[in-house]
Amino acid sequence: MDLSIIIPAYNSKDYIASCLRGVVTCPKDEIAMECIVVNDGSKDDTAAIVHRYQERDARIVLYNKEN
């Protein structure tokens, strides 16, 4: 793995999509990378938004945990 990005998230529905858009623009052929989103018990749509991005890009991983 060339690059690991870790994004902590708690009730971040207002900016998580913008953050993940930046991640998916990274060329898949040039850099071996992973993006780990740690959802710290969000009560909003943060996890649902990350799931939508996971469907488009397998480099995104979501970990849900209790706050």
Side-chain angles (χ1 to χ4, degrees):
M1 195 64 54
D2 294 330
L3 176 66
S4 293
I5 301 168
I6 301 171
I7 302 171
Y10 178 75
N11 291 340
S12 57
K13 71 174 180 127
D14 293 335
Y15 62 87
I16 194 70
S18 175
C19 186
L20 291 175
R21 272 195 301 275
V23 170
V24 298
T25 60
C26 185
K28 293 179 183 179
D29 298 338
E30 296 176 22
I31 293 179
M33 64 157 271
E34 64 183 346
C35 175
I36 301 167
V37 180
V38 180
N39 181 27
D40 192 17
S42 295
K43 305 292 184 207
D44 62 3
D45 291 331
T46 298
I49 294 167
V50 176
H51 279 298
R52 286 196 295 269
Y53 277 85
Q54 279 184 299
E55 291 173 355
R56 291 184 253 169
D57 196 323
R59 300 176 297 174
I60 298 173
V61 178
L62 174 64
Y63 289 105
N64 289 303
K65 65 179 225 87
E66 297 281 328
N67 184 308

